[in-house]
Amino acid sequence: MSAQQPCVLLVEDEGVQREVLTYNLDAEGFRVVSAETGDEALLLVAEESPDLVLLDWMLPNVSGIEICRRIKADPESRHIPIIMLSARSDEDDRVRGLETGADDYVVKPYSVIELMARVRTQLRRSRPTTMGERLSFQDIILDSGEHRVFRDGRALHLGPTEFRLLSTLMERPGRVWTREQLLDRVWGRDIYVDSRTIDVHVGRLRKALMTNGGVNPIRTVRGTGYALG
């Protein structure tokens, strides 16, 4: 599994719909985790920290609208884009879904091709490096399509791990990433790596970024992790 493979949480209680969407998301190159209930979805949001949530409105026990509200109310998960799936097509329902915090609202029955396009659009906003975008922070430019990094116009030579680490930090400058979150994002969940390993690679990344005398842009948050800027 690629450590940069975006994770999509699919919350759908209908088995056939879940299988169809899982198949298409997997074909698009996404890692899919699924839930059949709202309570299960909230647990997976905390455990998996998905990059996007596909959320059905009509769920047993707790509605998708309530799950959306809870995800967006939590500072740890409010940044995760949510696409609401619903058979409710009235304008009032669309407005309610969006005002609750959904980033997009798709009415059933929908075109799977169009839905995949909407998923890619949301991920370009939340995880631009996985979609081949170019990022910039101060005098640092990261081109994920060409796998190159420049600082003050000069090319930097980064190893693959340091490149993935920098791309993660540049996705949300200022955000504090814990070591566990960085390990999950950079190495992936299928590989065991000691959390202290992240300190070694952050040190290598800092050294590369300061090769030509630039200021160290990576901030250490004692007892927590690291942030860019």
Side-chain angles (χ1 to χ4, degrees):
M1 179 182 68
S2 169
Q4 284 287 291
Q5 190 178 23
C7 176
V8 175
L9 170 58
L10 171 61
V11 190
E12 171 63 74
D13 63 321
E14 295 183 10
V16 174
Q17 287 287 328
R18 195 167 57 251
E19 288 180 13
V20 169
L21 289 175
T22 297
Y23 173 83
N24 282 275
L25 289 164
D26 184 70
E28 290 283 334
F30 304 127
R31 180 169 69 90
V32 184
V33 293
S34 61
E36 298 180 36
T37 68
D39 290 335
E40 186 181 359
L42 291 175
L43 287 174
L44 286 172
V45 166
E47 292 175 359
E48 298 285 342
S49 189
D51 299 292
L52 181 139
V53 178
L54 274 178
L55 178 62
D56 186 31
W57 181 314
M58 300 299 292
L59 295 171
N61 300 324
V62 185
S63 72
I65 281 287
E66 176 60 18
I67 296 304
C68 179
R69 186 193 67 76
R70 294 183 190 181
I71 291 174
K72 292 298 186 177
D74 188 341
E76 291 296 317
S77 59
R78 65 178 51 167
H79 66 279
I80 301 173
I82 297 175
I83 299 179
M84 182 76 70
L85 306 176
S86 175
R88 298 169 179 257
S89 59
D90 291 345
E91 182 179 7
D92 289 346
D93 292 321
R94 291 173 180 264
V95 171
R96 183 184 174 194
L98 294 170
E99 287 186 342
T100 302
D103 298 271
D104 200 354
Y105 189 101
V106 177
V107 177
K108 297 179 178 181
Y110 47 77
S111 160
V112 173
I113 294 175
E114 180 184 352
L115 180 58
M116 293 302 108
R118 289 173 181 261
V119 168
R120 291 192 297 271
T121 295
Q122 292 298 329
L123 286 171
R124 274 196 294 270
R125 296 170 182 169
S126 64
R127 285 197 65 183
T129 54
T130 64
M131 309 304 288
E133 302 290 322
R134 172 178 286 205
L135 298 181
S136 63
F137 175 77
Q138 296 178 357
D139 59 350
I140 304 170
I141 295 175
L142 183 146
D143 190 320
S144 59
E146 297 186 2
H147 212 271
R148 302 179 70 187
V149 176
F150 300 88
R151 184 165 197 191
D152 195 23
R154 300 178 181 179
L156 301 181
H157 301 287
L158 302 182
T161 300
E162 284 70 40
F163 184 90
R164 292 195 301 269
L165 179 58
L166 179 61
S167 69
T168 297
L169 293 171
M170 289 186 70
E171 284 173 9
R172 297 190 188 92
R175 170 182 171 173
V176 179
W177 296 82
T178 67
R179 288 173 175 81
E180 290 72 21
Q181 288 170 334
L182 289 172
L183 285 168
D184 179 35
R185 182 63 68 89
V186 176
W187 278 269
R189 285 183 174 267
D190 291 347
I191 301 175
Y192 174 76
V193 179
D194 190 287
S195 62
R196 290 173 295 182
T197 302
I198 199 69
D199 301 328
V200 174
H201 287 279
V202 167
R204 292 176 182 173
L205 177 58
R206 279 175 166 154
K207 183 177 180 180
L209 291 172
M210 298 169 65
T211 298
N212 298 313
V215 175
N216 172 27
I218 300 176
R219 175 166 51 95
T220 299
V221 181
R222 191 175 298 276
T224 303
Y226 299 98
L228 186 67

